[in-house]
Amino acid sequence: MRLILLGAPGAGKGTVAKLLTKLDGSVQISTGDILRGAVQAGTELGKKAEAFMKAGDLVPDELIMGIMEQRLQEPDCAKGFLLDGFPRTIPQAEALKGLLTKLAIDLDAAVDIDVPREVILDRLTTRRTCSNPSCQAIYNVKSNPPRVAGVCDRCGSPVIQRDDETEEAISKRLDTYNEKTAPLVDYYRKEGLLMSVATTSSDDVVNAVKQKIGL
Ligand code: ADP
């Protein structure tokens, strides 16, 4: 399948993407994970992105498009992909449209996961992430803590609160989302690709997608 996942930070895009990859071998492409990996590895990309990310601001469109142009041409995308956290702005959506036309790739849908703001705020302040760049497993101190506090179940690395998950940065990320990313819902409606799912259950989203693309 070839999908864009839309929705505020904390709406569950990453969780849904991981469930969907199991259905047909599509890969999850998370620009946030790619950027955090680059910051930890200290690459040029990471150095350019770090300050924007820490403040809860978006990384400039040119950097993101450079990453995506390469990533979408890697062989593992042949079975499909789930774009998680990209596009985030109208210019990114337009650039993506051009890129997909160039690569002769059609999208199945842009899925908007619509979750109430109170739920989002609660999820983000209680979210914890594995600090190992190649793992980045997600936990929640209330609903899904690691078996040993502060230690990743999967790889044993420390589980931490992300720099951009302080209350101040979270509120900034939600404002940025409303201003820059929420307009994509209308954009994809006009493109005839929008599928909206209002739920706090990742399984509901997965079932709606399965139905839509006939899996
Ligand atoms: P979220 O939980 O906010 O969806 P992500 O892991 O997707 O978090 O992104 C973390 C940060 O990485 C964002 O706040 C932003 O600074 C940067 N980022 C990720 N994807 C993009 C993108 N497509 N365009 C611009 N910045 C991005």
Side-chain angles (χ1 to χ4, degrees):
M1 66 186 94
R2 295 186 174 83
L3 298 181
I4 293 172
L5 298 173
L6 295 172
K13 299 185 294 293
T15 306
V16 166
K18 286 190 177 72
L19 294 169
L20 291 173
T21 56
K22 296 195 185 127
L23 297 178
D24 70 351
S26 302
V27 287
Q28 175 188 8
I29 303 180
S30 156
T31 41
D33 285 353
I34 295 173
L35 291 167
R36 276 186 293 279
V39 169
Q40 293 205 15
T43 63
E44 272 312 297
L45 169 67
K47 286 183 195 140
K48 288 182 187 153
E50 189 167 13
F52 295 102
M53 295 175 72
K54 208 165 175 169
D57 278 326
L58 292 181
V59 171
D61 291 338
E62 309 77 66
L63 281 184
I64 299 291
M65 290 317 301
I67 298 175
M68 289 308 297
E69 174 143 19
Q70 275 187 359
R71 185 66 190 88
L72 284 173
Q73 296 185 67
E74 283 171 26
D76 63 347
C77 291
K79 284 193 190 155
F81 50 77
L82 302 149
L83 303 184
D84 161 14
F86 169 86
R88 277 278 229 288
T89 62
I90 295 279
Q92 287 182 18
E94 282 174 343
L96 174 66
K97 189 176 175 183
L99 179 60
L100 293 176
T101 306
K102 186 171 101 184
L103 301 175
I105 294 172
D106 278 333
L107 289 175
D108 294 308
V111 182
D112 179 40
I113 310 171
D114 185 5
V115 174
R117 190 180 165 101
E118 320 82 78
V119 177
I120 295 275
L121 279 173
D122 184 54
R123 279 187 187 169
L124 290 178
T125 46
T126 53
R127 181 152 92 172
R128 300 291 181 271
T129 307
C130 173
S131 58
N132 171 0
S134 58
C135 177
Q136 304 202 30
I138 307 265
Y139 298 92
N140 184 291
V141 287
K142 284 196 206 156
S143 60
N144 175 31
R147 280 194 295 273
V148 178
V151 180
C152 181
D153 293 350
R154 268 206 259 158
C155 76
S157 303
V159 168
I160 55 161
Q161 184 161 26
R162 273 167 40 180
D163 280 348
D164 62 355
E165 284 178 353
T166 61
E167 290 217 26
E168 195 188 347
I170 288 169
S171 146
K172 179 74 191 291
R173 276 161 65 208
L174 291 177
D175 290 345
T176 306
Y177 177 81
N178 288 329
E179 185 193 333
K180 305 255 173 69
T181 309
L184 293 181
V185 172
D186 262 340
Y187 177 90
Y188 285 111
R189 187 179 290 120
K190 287 185 190 132
E191 292 283 309
L193 284 168
L194 186 70
M195 177 184 157
S196 222
V197 194
T199 179
T200 55
S201 148
S202 305
D203 289 338
D204 286 354
V205 182
V206 170
N207 287 330
V209 168
K210 274 167 115 173
Q211 210 165 36
K212 161 97 182 170
I213 62 178
L215 269 177

